[in-house]
Amino acid sequence: MTGPARGTPGPTRTVDLDGFRFPLGTETLGLSWQPRERRTGTLNLKSCELQHPWSDRLVRSELAALPLAETIAYPFQDRALDALGAYHGLDSAHVLLTAGSDNGIGLVVDALVRPVGRLLLQEPAFEAWRHYAELRGVRVTGVPGVTGAPPTADPDPLLDALRDAPGPTVAAVTNPGSPSGLLYPPSTMRRFAGTARDLGHLLVIDEAYGDFVHTSHAPLVAEFPNVVVVHSYSKAFALAGLRIAALLVHPALREHLGRFRPENAVGAPGVALLERLAPQRERWQEIWRDVRAVRQEFTDRVLSTHPGWHALQPGANFVTFWSPDPATADAARDHLAAHRVRIRSLSDLPGLRGCFRVSLADRPTMERVARLLDAVADRPRPRVNAPAAPRQAARHGERPY
C-alpha cells in the first residue's frame, strides 16, 4: 500500500474565518489539541520530567557556561553528534537529532510508516503514536502488550502480529513500557528484532525511559538494519524544556529521514547542552541510581500502608501502582488533585485497569505524597461465604475443598 500521489488533494472541509472561507483538510477532525496549561502552585507528578536536585545543579552549571553564540546562532551539530555516538556506542552516522521524542515519532510516521500504510502498535503506548498515525491517515493495529491482574508484559501478541502482517509493516514497541513501567529483557527484544527482520518489517523501539533502568537498545541498531530507536534526552538529561531527542538508525535510513530536515526544529541551546552533558555519563548514572533508590523508598512506603497494591517493575523515574479495586486509580488521582498534586490514572488504557502512575521528585516531596496516599482506601470487597460442609464429610474429618 502506498500513499496518495504527490500533489493529489484529499478530502476537505471549509472553515469560515470571519467571512473568509477557505478549505482545510479533514485529517484533524476527531483529534484533540490541548496546549499545556500553567498550574501555579500545583506539583506536577504526571508528566514524568526528571526532577532531582543533582540533575538541577548539573544542568544549571552547564547552562550558565554556554557562550552567547551557542544560544543565538544557528547550531552546528557535528560535535554533539560525535558525543552522542560515543554515548550510545555507535558511529555518529547512526544518530539523527529531533525536537523531542514526540517530533521523532511524527517523523517516523511520516517517513517510514506512511509509505507502507500499516502500523502495529503494542499498547499501551505513548499517545503520540496514534495521534500522528491518524493525522497521516495510517491504519493502526493495536496489539496487547500486557496481560493479567496485576499486569505483566506479554510479548506473544506482537510476535503473532508480525507473523500475520500481510506485507512490509512498521511495528512500534516501548521498552521500558510507558506508562506501565514493565520491561522486556534483552533476549525478548532481540527476538522482536530478528522476527521483524526475517519477515521484512521495521521495528521501532521507543526507549524514552531506558536510561533510568540501565537499558539501551543501541546494540540492536548496530546488529539489525531494520531497527530504529527513539531516545529521549529530554527525559534522561532533565531537558524537557528544551525538547531534544534522537533517532538511532541505519545510516541509509538516517539519510532518508534527514531529508525531512528535522534539524531545523532543534535549537542551539539543546545541541550545545548535549555536547556537554553526554560525556558526563558517570555523573548521570549516579543521578539515575539515586532516582531508583528514591523510587524504591517511595514504593516501600506506599505498600507498607497498602499491602494489597502492587508496583509494576522495574518502573523508571515513576512508579505505576495497581490495585485490585479498579476505582482506586481514579480515587488516588482525585484525592491528590484536591491537595494540588497531579498524577495520572491509567484505568482507561488497555491492560492497565486499576493502575495509576506517580512520577518522582526529591525525597521530602515523595514522603509528602506517600502520606497523602495513606488516605486512599480500596473499597471493601464483598465477603463470599463458603457453602457449609456436608455433614457426612465433616463426620469423617474430610474437607469439601
Side-chain angles (χ1 to χ4, degrees), residues 16 20 23 46 99 116 133 142 148 171 179 212 256 266 328 344 347 377 396:
D16 191 324
F20 175 79
K46 180 180 180 182
V116 297
F212 295 108
H256 173 66
V266 179
T328 298
R344 184 179 179 187
S347 267
H396 292 288

Side-chain angles (χ1 to χ4, degrees), residues 49-308:
E49 301 165 19
L50 174 54
Q51 301 183 59
H52 193 283
W54 301 349
S55 63
D56 289 349
R57 287 197 295 269
L58 178 55
V59 174
R60 183 185 299 114
S61 173
E62 296 297 346
L63 189 60
L66 286 185
L68 180 63
E70 294 190 18
T71 64
I72 64 174
Y74 287 122
F76 294 95
Q77 295 188 0
D78 51 345
R79 293 196 301 244
L81 292 175
D82 287 341
L84 294 174
Y87 178 84
H88 293 291
L90 297 169
D91 187 274
S92 61
H94 289 274
V95 184
L96 182 71
L97 289 180
T98 66
S101 59
D102 194 290
N103 180 261
I105 290 168
L107 176 59
V108 166
V109 173
D110 268 342
L112 303 178
V113 181
R114 186 178 48 82
V116 297
R118 286 178 295 272
L119 174 64
L120 297 179
L121 181 62
Q122 190 184 62
E123 296 181 308
F126 182 32
E127 294 87 346
W129 284 104
R130 277 194 175 270
H131 182 94
Y132 285 113
E134 187 169 349
L135 196 61
R136 272 61 167 184
V138 170
R139 184 169 67 252
V140 178
T141 300
V143 181
V146 296
T147 187
T152 58
D154 183 3
D156 290 336
L158 182 59
L159 290 168
D160 290 341
L162 288 169
R163 297 184 187 105
D164 293 341
T169 298
V170 177
V173 59
T174 308
N175 197 51
S178 173
S180 71
L182 297 169
L183 181 69
Y184 288 119
S187 58
T188 298
M189 299 308 296
R190 291 193 81 262
R191 191 177 175 199
F192 284 149
T195 300
R197 177 198 57 195
D198 294 345
L199 296 171
H201 308 312
L202 279 179
L203 177 71
V204 183
I205 305 170
D206 186 344
E207 64 170 24
Y209 297 98
D211 282 318
F212 295 108
V213 291
H214 196 59
T215 293
S216 170
H217 301 93
L220 293 180
V221 174
E223 182 179 357
F224 294 92
N226 64 312
V227 169
V228 178
V229 171
V230 184
H231 189 95
S232 171
Y233 311 106
S234 300
K235 301 292 187 186
F237 292 169
L239 299 177
L242 289 176
R243 312 297 295 140
I244 190 81
L247 300 180
L248 310 179
V249 298
H250 188 279
L253 281 181
R254 180 181 184 270
E255 172 69 18
H256 173 66
L257 292 163
R259 295 183 186 276
F260 287 75
R261 305 187 72 175
E263 75 279 0
N264 287 346
V266 179
V271 173
L273 279 174
L274 281 183
E275 182 184 334
R276 288 162 171 77
L277 294 174
Q280 302 188 52
R281 177 183 290 273
E282 290 185 2
R283 297 185 70 179
W284 285 113
Q285 288 177 334
E286 183 182 12
I287 292 169
W288 301 327
R289 279 195 298 269
D290 199 59
V291 169
R292 291 194 292 271
V294 171
R295 181 188 186 277
Q296 190 61 57
E297 293 162 13
F298 174 64
T299 300
D300 291 345
R301 169 65 177 79
V302 171
L303 295 184
S304 69
T305 305
H306 300 284

Side-chain angles (χ1 to χ4, degrees), residues 325-339:
D325 176 12
T328 298
D330 289 353
R333 176 201 60 200
D334 296 344
H335 178 69
L336 266 63
H339 291 81

Side-chain angles (χ1 to χ4, degrees), residues 36 43-51 124-127 174 176-182 206 208-209 212 235 295 298-299 302 309-312 314-323 326 328-334 336-337 341-349 352-361 366 369 373:
R36 294 184 184 274
L43 173 64
N44 180 14
L45 298 182
K46 180 180 180 182
S47 300
C48 294
E49 301 165 19
L50 174 54
Q51 301 183 59
F126 182 32
E127 294 87 346
T174 308
S178 173
S180 71
L182 297 169
D206 186 344
Y209 297 98
F212 295 108
K235 301 292 187 186
R295 181 188 186 277
F298 174 64
T299 300
V302 171
W309 294 4
H310 181 85
L312 306 191
N317 65 330
F318 60 83
V319 187
T320 299
F321 291 104
W322 170 85
S323 165
T328 298
D330 289 353
R333 176 201 60 200
D334 296 344
L336 266 63
V341 178
R342 296 184 74 209
I343 65 170
R344 184 179 179 187
S345 171
L346 308 175
S347 267
D348 60 336
L349 298 181
L352 296 183
R353 190 164 185 255
C355 292
F356 63 94
R357 186 182 69 179
V358 184
S359 65
L360 302 173
M366 299 319 296
V369 174
L373 287 173

